[in-house]
Amino acid sequence: TKSNGGRSGSIVAPLVNEKEEEEVEKIDVNPPKGTRDFAPEDMRLRNWLFNHFKEVSRLFGYEEVDYPVLETEALFIRKAGEEIRDQLYCFEDRGKRRVALRPELTPSLARLVIQKGKSVSLPLKWFAIGQCWRYERMTRGRRREHYQWNMDIIGVPHVTAEAELISSIVTFFKRIGITSSDVGFKVSSRKVLQEMLRKYGVPENLFGRVCIIIDKIEKIPIDEIKKELGSTGISEDAIEQLLQVLSVKSLDDLEDVLGGAGEAIADLKQLFSLAEKFGYSEWIQFDASVVRGLSYYTGIVFEGFDRKGNLRAICGGGRYDRLLPTYGGDDIPACGFGFGDAVIVELLKEKNLLPELGQEVENIVCALEKDLQGAAATVATALRSKGQTVDLVLESKPLKWVFKRAARINARRLILVGKTEWEDGSVSVKVLSSGEQFQVKLSDLE
Ligand SMILES: CC(=O)Nc1cnc2ccccc2c1
């Protein structure tokens, strides 16, 4: 049996016997393409980031939820031409069911809210941090998984909900040292497009598709955009007007184009006024070209961007009032955002704001002789029962080795268990920063 040296396919464990033993080829120790391991140092940074996500969510009174990373494929099948659909990590399982690794969390949220039905009282304020997946040709060498922080408000139709969501992201940025000179939020409303499409008699069912095409406005040539819009049946003139309205620079200019009666203007004005009250006005700006790439948004949409313009969107979100009904659920309004774990780390690197996170163990406990190993275990257990973190040296090692390890794990104290001291129930303590050394009764050690 040849275990294949390649990355794909299963590593077949060869039959082990004398002769073949030495023929075992080394397995590929890298994780699958587009995925990452989190070794301790990486895991410390991830936990630091996620703890801020969780702290902010708690501060805003949100409850944590989670869903399976595996969902039925149908949950994500939307016919609006989204990139997330083209890259769905889907397959047929052994029960011949079409399933998919979730590319986002919002459809799962909608599913759970519908499942809970009348047993939950609105509004719901939920948050989740979950791994999301995409399968794209590795030609682009991009990652196939990332972790997303989501916060969602279900059951509130007013823009006060969107205003609070943006406030929670601003709170997060402030906690990690990002200011409004580093990042901002581009804010718009899809009702602008909706009102324009209605003005030109474009059928409502094209709304999602038109938004997805327009979301590509900075990614593909404008002629391509016009061609794709044309293929939906929208007239040349309507397309010109649409693109025109997406380039207005202010709410006042927008009002001139749309008139003051529409909901888009009213929502945006109210949002900017609420921003004042939440104290984050300098973080947000109206930008009519923001549509976001998910077809289910129906109202306010926003995205966090780095003002230097080097990075992709940091986060994004908006109102999705029609999502639950598309799954057969009640007509419940909702809004939320997704915040990925990749771009933010690039931004922190750029701003030199990455925290230095070393391992932190208070004590390293070591027996000075083999037959004191048990005593060392007793000392470690006594300290741990008092909430002290302890690295117990588990085999007899030269003191030089112990000091080296103490330094590597940033231990504050070295606790040595020696024969004479132990006979009267004492241990010797060495404070590694000062070098101070003293004997102490185990019962007095804290
Ligand atoms: C910068 C980055 O890692 N983006 C990323 C990585 N993996 C994903 C997986 C699913 C959906 C979106 C994804 C986005």
Side-chain angles (χ1 to χ4, degrees):
T1 52
K2 293 271 309 148
S3 65
N4 62 354
R7 294 177 58 95
S8 59
S10 67
I11 304 291
V12 178
L15 296 174
V16 177
N17 66 35
E18 285 317 304
K19 188 178 118 14
E20 279 181 344
E21 191 99 52
E22 64 282 359
E23 274 176 19
V24 171
E25 269 174 45
K26 187 175 169 201
I27 61 155
D28 180 351
V29 292
N30 293 306
K33 275 183 197 281
T35 70
R36 301 162 289 174
D37 296 312
F38 286 88
E41 186 185 358
D42 306 315
M43 200 61 199
R44 284 195 287 268
L45 176 61
R46 173 172 136 180
N47 283 330
W48 172 83
L49 188 66
F50 289 13
N51 287 340
H52 280 297
F53 288 159
K54 288 179 181 171
E55 268 310 294
V56 169
S57 304
R58 211 180 50 79
L59 213 51
F60 279 69
Y62 286 57
E63 297 176 281
E64 187 165 14
V65 294
D66 194 10
Y67 326 97
V69 73
L70 186 75
E71 288 278 10
T72 60
E73 182 186 51
L75 192 66
F76 307 110
I77 299 291
R78 303 191 289 260
K79 296 184 177 43
E82 293 154 287
E83 185 184 56
I84 210 161
R85 164 86 176 77
D86 308 338
Q87 300 174 342
L88 196 59
Y89 209 128
C90 52
F91 54 97
E92 190 163 285
D93 73 9
R94 290 170 186 254
K96 293 223 171 300
R97 271 179 292 269
R98 293 294 307 169
V99 289
L101 297 180
R102 65 189 176 201
E104 54 165 330
L105 300 173
T106 309
S108 302
L109 173 140
R111 178 178 61 68
L112 184 56
V113 171
I114 297 169
Q115 178 199 129
K116 289 297 176 193
K118 304 273 181 285
S119 72
V120 289
S121 54
L122 300 177
L124 295 170
K125 295 181 177 184
W126 288 356
F127 84 93
I129 302 173
Q131 192 174 36
C132 296
W133 293 82
R134 66 185 173 192
Y135 189 91
E136 58 170 12
R137 299 279 158 245
M138 275 320 272
T139 42
R140 299 177 66 175
R142 293 201 305 176
R143 295 220 317 254
R144 284 183 176 160
E145 54 76 24
H146 75 162
Y147 283 82
Q148 250 194 44
W149 169 41
N150 279 212
M151 289 178 85
D152 292 85
I153 301 170
I154 302 98
V156 175
H158 314 296
V159 294
T160 39
E162 291 93 318
E164 173 173 272
L165 288 172
I166 296 173
S167 175
S168 61
I169 308 173
V170 168
T171 305
F172 167 79
F173 280 135
K174 287 178 171 175
R175 284 169 71 100
I176 62 172
I178 299 278
T179 69
S180 57
S181 354
D182 299 319
V183 308
F185 292 87
K186 294 173 184 168
V187 180
S188 185
S189 171
R190 283 201 173 169
K191 288 179 185 173
V192 172
L193 278 177
Q194 194 178 39
E195 286 163 31
M196 289 300 289
L197 292 179
R198 278 189 188 140
K199 201 164 140 183
Y200 290 95
V202 176
E204 289 286 334
N205 66 331
L206 287 178
F207 179 61
R209 272 178 60 195
V210 168
C211 290
I212 297 311
I213 295 167
I214 286 175
D215 178 58
K216 297 187 279 189
I217 214 151
E218 272 145 30
K219 297 161 197 160
I220 62 176
I222 192 66
D223 297 353
E224 182 55 31
I225 297 283
K226 290 181 181 174
K227 200 161 128 264
E228 289 190 28
L229 286 173
S231 71
T232 68
I234 302 178
S235 71
E236 297 278 307
D237 179 40
I239 291 171
E240 281 312 316
Q241 295 304 316
L242 267 192
L243 298 176
Q244 187 59 39
V245 86
L246 294 171
S247 55
V248 299
K249 293 299 170 214
S250 73
L251 273 185
D252 291 344
D253 293 353
L254 186 68
E255 192 158 0
D256 297 345
V257 173
L258 287 183
E263 289 179 21
I265 291 289
D267 287 352
L268 285 162
K269 280 183 173 175
Q270 207 192 346
L271 184 74
F272 278 85
S273 143
L274 285 163
E276 192 72 40
K277 304 290 185 268
F278 275 103
Y280 62 72
S281 289
E282 79 275 13
W283 290 75
I284 65 170
Q285 62 199 54
F286 170 69
D287 185 327
S289 69
V290 173
V291 276
R292 297 301 293 162
L294 293 167
S295 62
Y296 49 66
Y297 288 131
T298 54
I300 294 283
V301 282
F302 55 86
E303 68 188 30
F305 70 100
D306 81 294
R307 294 191 188 276
K308 272 197 188 154
N310 304 339
L311 307 171
R312 298 173 303 288
I314 302 164
C315 57
R319 177 161 291 280
Y320 51 95
D321 286 345
R322 307 296 312 142
L323 186 62
L324 275 73
T326 62
Y327 290 130
D330 293 337
D331 193 356
I332 298 171
C335 58
F337 68 79
F339 194 122
D341 70 343
V343 179
I344 184 63
V345 170
E346 289 172 46
L347 180 69
L348 289 171
K349 276 181 189 147
E350 240 182 51
K351 305 286 177 192
N352 200 19
L353 283 170
L354 277 182
E356 292 189 359
L357 306 162
Q359 184 179 5
E360 280 160 22
V361 177
E362 281 147 329
N363 309 278
I364 178 164
V365 172
C366 170
L368 286 177
E369 304 163 26
K370 248 198 195 22
D371 57 8
L372 286 171
Q373 191 57 53
T378 303
V379 172
T381 305
L383 282 168
R384 285 163 176 164
S385 64
K386 293 175 183 165
Q388 287 263 334
T389 55
V390 174
D391 173 69
L392 173 60
V393 176
L394 300 168
E395 50 203 332
S396 63
K397 289 282 182 186
L399 259 189
K400 196 165 171 305
W401 180 95
V402 178
F403 274 97
K404 247 178 166 174
R405 181 172 173 83
R408 189 152 31 74
I409 67 174
N410 285 329
R412 199 169 54 79
R413 300 186 309 186
L414 170 56
I415 316 280
L416 295 170
V417 184
K419 196 163 184 56
T420 41
E421 299 91 345
W422 188 242
E423 267 149 17
D424 69 347
S426 297
V427 293
S428 86
V429 179
K430 187 175 182 60
V431 179
L432 293 169
S433 53
S434 64
E436 182 200 357
Q437 181 147 349
F438 51 90
Q439 316 287 338
V440 65
K441 287 259 186 244
L442 177 60
S443 47
D444 298 336
L445 191 56
E446 80 257 320

